[in-house]
Amino acid sequence: MAFHETIQELPSLQGSSSFFDTGTVIALCVFFALLCVCIIIGHLLEENRWANESITALLLGLCAGVVVLLISKGKSSKILVFNEDLFFLYLLPPIIFNAGFQVKKKQFFKNFTTILMFGVFGTVISFCLASLGAFYLIKKIGVTSLQTKDYLAIGAIFSATDSVCTLQVLNQDETPFLYSVVFGEGVVNDATSIVLFNAVQTLDFNNVDTLTALKLVGNFLYLFVTSTLLGIVAGLLSAFIIKMLYFGRHSTDREVALVMIMAYLSYMLAELLNLSGILTIFFCGIVMSHYTWHNVTESSRRTTKHGFATISFIAETFIFLYVGMDALDIDKWKGSHASPGTYIAVSSTLLALVLIGRAAFVFPLANIKNFVKRRDSTRIEFRQQFIMWWAGLMRGAVTIALSYNQFSGSENTSPDSALMITCTIIVVLFSTVVFGSITKPLIETVMLRHAKPLTSDVTDNQSLEDLRILFLENGDPSDQGNGSSSNNQPAQRASSLRLLISNPTTTVHYFWRKFDDKFMRPVFGGRGFVPYVPSSPTGEADEAS
Amino acid sequence: MAFHETIQELPSLQGSSSFFDTGTVIALCVFFALLCVCIIIGHLLEENRWANESITALLLGLCAGVVVLLISKGKSSKILVFNEDLFFLYLLPPIIFNAGFQVKKKQFFKNFTTILMFGVFGTVISFCLASLGAFYLIKKIGVTSLQTKDYLAIGAIFSATDSVCTLQVLNQDETPFLYSVVFGEGVVNDATSIVLFNAVQTLDFNNVDTLTALKLVGNFLYLFVTSTLLGIVAGLLSAFIIKMLYFGRHSTDREVALVMIMAYLSYMLAELLNLSGILTIFFCGIVMSHYTWHNVTESSRRTTKHGFATISFIAETFIFLYVGMDALDIDKWKGSHASPGTYIAVSSTLLALVLIGRAAFVFPLANIKNFVKRRDSTRIEFRQQFIMWWAGLMRGAVTIALSYNQFSGSENTSPDSALMITCTIIVVLFSTVVFGSITKPLIETVMLRHAKPLTSDVTDNQSLEDLRILFLENGDPSDQGNGSSSNNQPAQRASSLRLLISNPTTTVHYFWRKFDDKFMRPVFGGRGFVPYVPSSPTGEADEAS
């Protein structure tokens, strides 16, 4: 998409290829060569605790931008213009889908209430604070031409966390609780940010009343529920089709193709219906990994697992390269007419607002949660709260895309708008490179010094075990290994009931499992429900691949 | 790319999505929904001997085109405008790469001389005949405004066979010889067509002399050799990098990503240097499957094998859907001002030229080859010749792309140009649907009635075996199973020497294997040369995935 708006500034390189625009070919060559270099450097730096692929890509992109700037003699640093379509239509969906596909579902749903709370209320709090702060502080710096709408947009723009970078700095296996909360929050955050951003675009802020606010809440609920449902329906449909038609009989490629295309279709449909495509494809990924993945052949399973991860990996690296190359948007830098002091002041203000805005909801909400659920095992300790705060500070491509959308329209080309775009870029670069590179060592320092295993995992298995005993139709408590002594049974039962009340998530999980095994899996397949069509040769399924 | 030029004719559907052009989203939704339907129908028709995925996609695309035409009340049938960039930059490379990656290398190289002969001389003969025929016949129908250049372009356009459709109707396992020759010819044909087409665009045909002709030949040789070399270098580089840096240690996704990106980069580089990207990526695929594929982890192997096949499969289906939807290009149909009689006359003429042009080189060249190599085993029998003729009659997306390139420029919008485009579409549709659906049953009828195994395979293994004995440093002839009798050895040796002379390809293959084992595989890896870096934990390679 963006490749059409490529360098016309390198006339010496214009060849005579009869089919393509040479600019497009050059841009693609440079980009894919840089991607190769990124992957190789990323591999070599794997053991390094500071750097990661995102930062490498970002810095490499910056370097390439400088080179292009020098070649074009200061006229342009851009081989590609940042293009929202390319980002939202082609790069973001595979990343979010893969995240849903590979997420540890149990962890995710166990922390679902926490995730929703952080993703919804947290984002709103952050939005309010950032808007207010921008309104009072940025005016003082001397940026005067922005309107109320712009300040509210700034709030929405800087509340959008970067889930892609979070995926790279947190490790699902090492810190499952943090990963699921911070990443899950990032996904919900996206839906909230989009609602807020759209609201800012369409609402008339001169007469805001209770009704408008309620409408906004209703709008969000509608968006959240329908987006999730659409994703679930798409996932179930794919599972059903593959199970019924038994694709593996003929071709593993067709299975994989169908999974990919249906996932992408769910995203597109969500966007068509003005829903949050990100929420949709995320839940589609979850449902597909729970049902569809078990209905396909062994080859398809491996291919989807690694194939989706690879595509997501390429898209992530591509985005950071893109953002890096785009940072030296010379027209915007020139267009803002601002002094270095102003840049520093505005960027620091925005960065401070990001830091404060996140602190303002992470610590209070975590403590509220701790207060409500007093059980020691599910408490979010202070060092966990600190990591949750820190790991969500990165701002990324979504922020840049929203900023371009707000400040780079045809009507909106004032110096102050250009200033806001450049400052957004500064904040994104700074937060990704500095915060991003500190996160890994920070987590190691904070978490691993206290080497005891993370409480939430251990305890939860225990309580799940208790519940199983409680609900088992023909439960045999002697499985507990206590031998012949049965005098502690009443006490145990009481403790289990207490658990049931104090730990509703686990209970929900238990009932869900029963429902899943009884109604869902027989229809949609899933682990233990290998597809079996009586009239077709079952044995061939895996061999045909 | 093409999605930008989407329906503005459906204003009732324009929503208020704040990020995307609604037309783009609608087009993508329709397209991916149709892709899903194609895959499902293709699966259901798998056992049907007439239909295949291409034809399903083409017909489905046509139906969708009709629906859009009805919705827009006859104004436009297009959700997407056929776009050369989309086709050549994003859809064709994965298909050709996958073909190279999965091709049976032994068969391909064994028939290399045949493939080159058909691909180069055959295409030139076909080009000459089609140009001459078009020049004399189409003028008679009443199409007068075309120039000499246009007629020559028609020759080049209709000499470009459709390798994608060939891949679908021929089966590599059932008819390896035919598959390798027809498909290999298709790949070489592409390079030849492009040289011819470019030559038509740039040469001054008023003073053609021997020097120009020699220059053209030199140009072709340069193009062929450099394109092939570039592909080989890219493939070897990827093998070397992955072997040296030992990517599997950390991540299987990085390996797969690197393979994909380097393959694509080779295509882009070839296009940048005005070479034949198709030849380059094809040879890159061959080299990668020979070396790189053996250097990666087991997971990466499965992922690449099925992942590339899936991407190629999606791209193929996409192209046919695209061509189908594009067929009702109402502006072109209106723009030609021609009577149905003219359409039929021109299309039939072109179709006849395709049939005759192909017959004019397949049968003579095959018989020349039979005459030169008199050994019975490598003879191309008449029924094989017939299939070779038939299987190369399909014209596809390359033909359409070239036709648009020639006849739909800004200067060239005469009624006759529009007529040529519509007739090209008719020829493509007819040849794909009719010839394509007949091919499968035809092959079954012609080949399988004579149920004896294809000669070339059996004999060749035999002669290779002989050669091995001949060249084996410490060859032990008793392996032959003749026990103690050694009196037939001199005779056997003489027979082997005769083989060596009469069958140079096999000899080349033998020396290549020696060279490969001694020099190439130790450096670039390959079967039996699993990567081993002394300082790194070898055992982790497969577990890390």
Side-chain angles (χ1 to χ4, degrees):
Chain A
M1 299 263 142
F3 301 125
H4 270 269
E5 306 136 27
T6 39
I7 20 167
Q8 267 88 36
E9 286 80 13
L10 300 172
S12 62
L13 283 165
Q14 300 280 0
S16 62
S17 176
S18 66
F19 295 118
F20 311 115
D21 175 25
T22 317
T24 309
V25 177
I26 295 174
L28 284 173
C29 276
V30 171
F31 239 85
F32 283 91
L34 285 176
L35 268 182
C36 277
V37 177
C38 273
I39 294 174
I40 293 170
I41 294 179
H43 168 75
L44 295 175
L45 289 176
E46 180 76 29
E47 249 106 64
N48 188 304
R49 56 206 292 255
W50 298 90
N52 62 36
E53 228 116 29
S54 328
I55 297 169
T56 313
L58 207 56
L59 296 177
L60 211 65
L62 266 176
C63 295
V66 171
V67 171
V68 177
L69 197 66
L70 290 177
I71 290 176
S72 71
K73 298 195 185 73
K75 271 187 226 150
S76 171
S77 73
K78 291 188 286 186
I79 274 199
L80 305 167
V81 174
F82 189 88
N83 183 300
E84 289 163 30
D85 272 12
L86 177 68
F87 175 69
F88 280 111
L89 286 181
Y90 304 108
L91 297 175
L92 199 54
I95 298 175
I96 304 295
F97 174 72
N98 183 58
F101 200 74
Q102 320 260 2
V103 82
K104 285 187 195 299
K105 291 183 288 290
K106 211 176 122 192
Q107 272 289 336
F108 181 79
F109 286 109
K110 211 178 69 190
N111 302 313
F112 199 60
T113 44
T114 318
I115 288 168
L116 272 187
M117 200 166 72
F118 275 71
V120 180
F121 295 110
T123 308
V124 172
I125 293 170
S126 172
F127 162 73
C128 294
L129 256 172
S131 301
L132 274 175
F135 187 75
Y136 286 109
L137 295 173
I138 289 182
K139 254 188 189 162
K140 280 193 183 162
I141 294 166
V143 180
T144 47
S145 73
L146 297 181
Q147 297 162 339
T148 317
K149 228 175 194 175
D150 292 323
Y151 288 113
L152 289 167
I154 290 174
I157 289 167
F158 287 96
S159 309
T161 56
D162 184 16
S163 7
V164 180
C165 204
T166 311
L167 287 172
Q168 293 213 339
V169 293
L170 287 177
N171 188 311
Q172 188 165 204
D173 297 314
E174 283 169 15
T175 49
F177 170 73
L178 287 176
Y179 179 91
S180 70
V181 171
V182 176
F183 175 66
E185 180 214 319
V187 173
V188 179
N189 166 292
D190 174 78
T192 320
S193 304
I194 288 177
V195 173
L196 287 173
F197 192 76
N198 283 345
V200 168
Q201 306 292 317
T202 51
L203 285 182
D204 180 11
F205 281 93
N206 291 325
N207 30 17
V208 179
D209 52 11
T210 330
L211 197 73
T212 324
L214 275 177
K215 230 169 121 188
L216 214 63
V217 171
N219 198 354
F220 172 77
L221 285 177
Y222 165 79
L223 194 82
F224 187 87
V225 172
T226 44
S227 301
T228 307
L229 272 182
L230 182 64
I232 292 172
V233 168
L236 287 179
L237 192 67
S238 79
F240 186 75
I241 289 175
I242 287 180
K243 182 163 180 275
M244 277 301 112
L245 298 181
Y246 199 17
F247 274 80
R249 190 179 44 192
H250 291 314
S251 143
T252 199
D253 306 333
R254 246 189 221 123
E255 280 182 344
V256 180
L258 197 69
V259 170
M260 279 172 75
I261 290 172
M262 286 198 70
Y264 192 68
L265 189 60
S266 76
Y267 182 84
M268 280 292 114
L269 277 177
E271 291 299 336
L272 186 65
L273 302 170
N274 286 326
L275 305 176
S276 162
I278 291 188
L279 261 179
T280 302
I281 204 169
F282 180 74
F283 277 97
C284 182
I286 289 181
V287 172
M288 280 188 170
S289 79
H290 190 67
Y291 296 109
T292 320
W293 195 71
H294 295 280
N295 296 350
V296 298
T297 61
E298 173 58 28
S299 292
S300 299
R301 276 179 221 174
R302 279 231 220 171
T303 307
T304 46
K305 193 175 162 230
H306 291 292
F308 293 158
T310 304
I311 295 172
S312 165
F313 169 73
I314 293 177
E316 283 170 27
T317 316
F318 195 97
I319 287 174
F320 284 103
L321 203 56
Y322 205 25
V323 169
M325 287 185 82
D326 197 60
L328 295 165
D329 188 340
I330 204 78
D331 296 328
K332 293 279 179 296
W333 287 93
K334 280 181 185 162
S336 69
H337 305 302
S339 67
T342 317
Y343 280 124
I344 294 171
V346 175
S347 307
S348 323
T349 310
L350 291 173
L351 213 55
L353 288 175
V354 167
L355 287 162
I356 296 167
R358 192 164 175 84
F361 76 84
V362 168
F363 297 106
L365 287 182
N367 283 310
I368 289 172
K369 195 192 166 255
N370 284 347
F371 184 76
V372 174
K373 294 204 185 183
R374 289 172 191 221
R375 273 180 71 221
D376 187 55
S377 66
T378 56
R379 279 181 64 85
I380 305 172
E381 294 172 41
F382 180 73
R383 51 174 217 267
Q384 285 178 318
Q385 294 176 18
F386 181 76
I387 300 277
M388 281 161 74
W389 171 66
W390 185 268
L393 289 177
M394 275 85 77
R395 294 295 174 270
V398 175
T399 304
I400 289 195
L402 292 179
S403 178
Y404 267 84
N405 188 291
Q406 174 72 16
F407 293 111
S408 139
S410 48
E411 334 115 53
N412 227 329
T413 40
S414 69
D416 285 349
S417 296
L419 177 71
M420 288 318 299
I421 290 183
T422 47
C423 287
T424 309
I425 291 171
I426 293 174
V427 170
V428 168
L429 288 183
F430 186 86
S431 67
T432 306
V433 174
V434 177
F435 295 166
S437 59
I438 294 175
T439 308
K440 243 178 174 177
L442 194 78
I443 292 174
E444 279 174 30
T445 317
V446 175
M447 303 304 294
L448 300 185
R449 193 172 289 165
H450 312 254
K452 65 165 180 168
L454 276 176
T455 43
S456 35
D457 286 317
V458 180
T459 328
D460 200 70
N461 284 340
Q462 182 57 39
S463 61
L464 194 71
E465 191 55 44
D466 291 350
L467 275 164
R468 230 171 242 147
I469 292 154
L470 178 68
F471 284 106
L472 224 56
E473 283 90 344
N474 304 310
D476 186 5
S478 66
D479 278 347
Q480 282 248 304
N482 284 354
S484 55
S485 68
S486 64
N487 57 340
N488 62 344
Q489 271 204 22
Q492 196 189 29
R493 194 159 291 230
S495 124
S496 299
L497 278 168
R498 191 167 48 75
L499 261 175
L500 179 65
I501 295 154
S502 68
N503 208 355
T505 322
T506 320
T507 324
V508 169
H509 182 251
Y510 173 81
F511 280 114
W512 158 247
R513 282 294 287 273
K514 281 196 81 174
F515 174 74
D516 194 24
D517 285 341
K518 202 155 186 185
F519 299 103
M520 301 294 280
R521 292 194 190 193
V523 180
F524 298 109
R527 195 172 354 191
F529 286 80
V530 200
Y532 176 71
V533 180
S535 62
S536 65
T538 320
E540 278 176 33
D542 279 33
E543 287 157 32
S545 65
Chain B
M1 299 265 139
F3 301 123
H4 270 270
E5 307 136 27
T6 39
I7 22 167
Q8 266 88 36
E9 288 79 12
L10 299 172
S12 61
L13 283 165
Q14 299 280 358
S16 62
S17 177
S18 66
F19 295 118
F20 311 116
D21 176 25
T22 317
T24 310
V25 176
I26 294 175
L28 284 172
C29 276
V30 171
F31 239 85
F32 282 92
L34 286 175
L35 269 181
C36 278
V37 176
C38 275
I39 295 173
I40 292 170
I41 294 179
H43 168 74
L44 294 174
L45 290 176
E46 179 77 30
E47 250 104 64
N48 187 305
R49 56 206 291 254
W50 299 90
N52 62 35
E53 228 115 28
S54 328
I55 297 169
T56 313
L58 207 57
L59 296 177
L60 211 65
L62 266 176
C63 294
V66 171
V67 171
V68 177
L69 196 66
L70 291 176
I71 290 176
S72 70
K73 298 193 184 74
K75 272 188 223 148
S76 169
S77 74
K78 292 188 286 185
I79 273 200
L80 304 167
V81 174
F82 190 88
N83 183 298
E84 289 163 30
D85 273 11
L86 176 68
F87 175 69
F88 279 111
L89 286 182
Y90 304 107
L91 296 174
L92 199 54
I95 297 175
I96 304 296
F97 174 72
N98 183 58
F101 200 74
Q102 320 261 2
V103 81
K104 284 188 194 300
K105 292 182 288 290
K106 211 176 123 190
Q107 272 288 336
F108 181 79
F109 286 109
K110 211 178 71 190
N111 302 314
F112 199 60
T113 44
T114 317
I115 288 167
L116 271 188
M117 200 166 72
F118 275 72
V120 180
F121 294 111
T123 308
V124 172
I125 293 171
S126 173
F127 163 73
C128 295
L129 255 173
S131 301
L132 274 175
F135 187 74
Y136 286 108
L137 294 173
I138 289 181
K139 253 188 190 163
K140 278 193 184 164
I141 294 166
V143 181
T144 47
S145 73
L146 298 181
Q147 297 163 339
T148 316
K149 228 175 196 176
D150 292 323
Y151 288 113
L152 289 168
I154 290 173
I157 289 166
F158 287 96
S159 309
T161 56
D162 184 14
S163 5
V164 180
C165 203
T166 311
L167 287 171
Q168 293 213 340
V169 294
L170 288 177
N171 187 312
Q172 188 164 205
D173 297 314
E174 285 170 14
T175 49
F177 170 72
L178 286 177
Y179 179 92
S180 70
V181 172
V182 176
F183 175 67
E185 181 214 320
V187 173
V188 180
N189 166 292
D190 175 78
T192 320
S193 303
I194 288 177
V195 174
L196 288 172
F197 191 77
N198 284 346
V200 169
Q201 306 292 317
T202 51
L203 285 182
D204 180 10
F205 281 93
N206 292 325
N207 29 16
V208 179
D209 52 11
T210 330
L211 197 72
T212 324
L214 275 177
K215 229 170 124 187
L216 213 61
V217 172
N219 197 355
F220 172 78
L221 285 178
Y222 166 78
L223 193 81
F224 188 87
V225 172
T226 44
S227 301
T228 307
L229 273 182
L230 182 63
I232 292 171
V233 168
L236 288 180
L237 192 67
S238 79
F240 186 75
I241 289 175
I242 286 181
K243 183 162 180 275
M244 277 302 112
L245 297 182
Y246 199 18
F247 273 80
R249 190 179 44 191
H250 292 312
S251 146
T252 197
D253 306 334
R254 246 190 219 122
E255 280 182 344
V256 180
L258 197 70
V259 170
M260 280 172 74
I261 290 173
M262 286 199 70
Y264 192 68
L265 188 61
S266 76
Y267 182 86
M268 280 293 113
L269 277 177
E271 291 298 335
L272 186 65
L273 303 170
N274 286 328
L275 305 175
S276 162
I278 290 187
L279 261 180
T280 303
I281 203 167
F282 180 74
F283 278 96
C284 182
I286 289 181
V287 172
M288 279 187 171
S289 80
H290 190 67
Y291 296 109
T292 321
W293 195 72
H294 295 279
N295 296 350
V296 298
T297 61
E298 172 58 28
S299 292
S300 300
R301 276 179 221 174
R302 279 231 220 169
T303 308
T304 46
K305 193 175 161 229
H306 291 290
F308 293 158
T310 304
I311 294 172
S312 164
F313 169 73
I314 293 177
E316 283 170 26
T317 316
F318 195 96
I319 287 175
F320 284 103
L321 203 56
Y322 206 25
V323 169
M325 287 185 83
D326 197 61
L328 296 165
D329 188 339
I330 203 77
D331 296 329
K332 293 280 180 295
W333 287 92
K334 280 180 185 163
S336 68
H337 305 301
S339 67
T342 318
Y343 280 125
I344 295 171
V346 175
S347 306
S348 324
T349 311
L350 291 173
L351 213 55
L353 288 175
V354 167
L355 287 161
I356 297 167
R358 189 162 177 86
F361 75 85
V362 168
F363 298 107
L365 287 182
N367 284 309
I368 289 171
K369 193 191 167 254
N370 284 348
F371 185 77
V372 174
K373 293 203 185 181
R374 290 172 191 223
R375 270 180 72 222
D376 187 56
S377 67
T378 56
R379 280 181 64 83
I380 305 173
E381 292 173 42
F382 180 74
R383 52 171 216 266
Q384 284 179 318
Q385 295 177 18
F386 181 76
I387 299 277
M388 281 163 74
W389 171 66
W390 186 268
L393 289 177
M394 275 86 77
R395 295 294 175 272
V398 175
T399 305
I400 288 195
L402 291 179
S403 179
Y404 267 85
N405 189 291
Q406 174 73 15
F407 294 112
S408 140
S410 49
E411 334 115 54
N412 227 329
T413 40
S414 70
D416 286 349
S417 297
L419 178 71
M420 289 317 300
I421 290 183
T422 48
C423 288
T424 310
I425 291 172
I426 293 174
V427 170
V428 168
L429 287 183
F430 186 85
S431 67
T432 307
V433 174
V434 178
F435 295 167
S437 59
I438 295 175
T439 308
K440 241 177 173 179
L442 194 79
I443 292 173
E444 279 173 29
T445 317
V446 175
M447 302 305 293
L448 300 185
R449 192 172 290 167
H450 311 255
K452 66 165 181 167
L454 277 175
T455 43
S456 35
D457 286 317
V458 180
T459 330
D460 201 70
N461 285 340
Q462 182 56 38
S463 60
L464 194 70
E465 190 55 42
D466 291 350
L467 275 165
R468 230 170 245 147
I469 292 155
L470 178 69
F471 285 107
L472 222 57
E473 283 91 344
N474 303 311
D476 187 5
S478 65
D479 278 346
Q480 282 247 305
N482 283 355
S484 55
S485 68
S486 62
N487 56 343
N488 62 345
Q489 273 204 18
Q492 196 189 29
R493 196 158 291 232
S495 126
S496 299
L497 278 167
R498 189 167 49 74
L499 260 175
L500 179 65
I501 295 153
S502 67
N503 207 355
T505 322
T506 320
T507 325
V508 169
H509 181 251
Y510 174 81
F511 280 115
W512 158 246
R513 282 294 286 272
K514 280 196 82 172
F515 174 73
D516 194 24
D517 285 340
K518 202 154 186 184
F519 298 103
M520 300 295 278
R521 294 195 189 193
V523 181
F524 298 108
R527 194 175 350 198
F529 286 80
V530 199
Y532 177 70
V533 181
S535 63
S536 64
T538 320
E540 278 176 31
D542 279 33
E543 286 157 31
S545 64

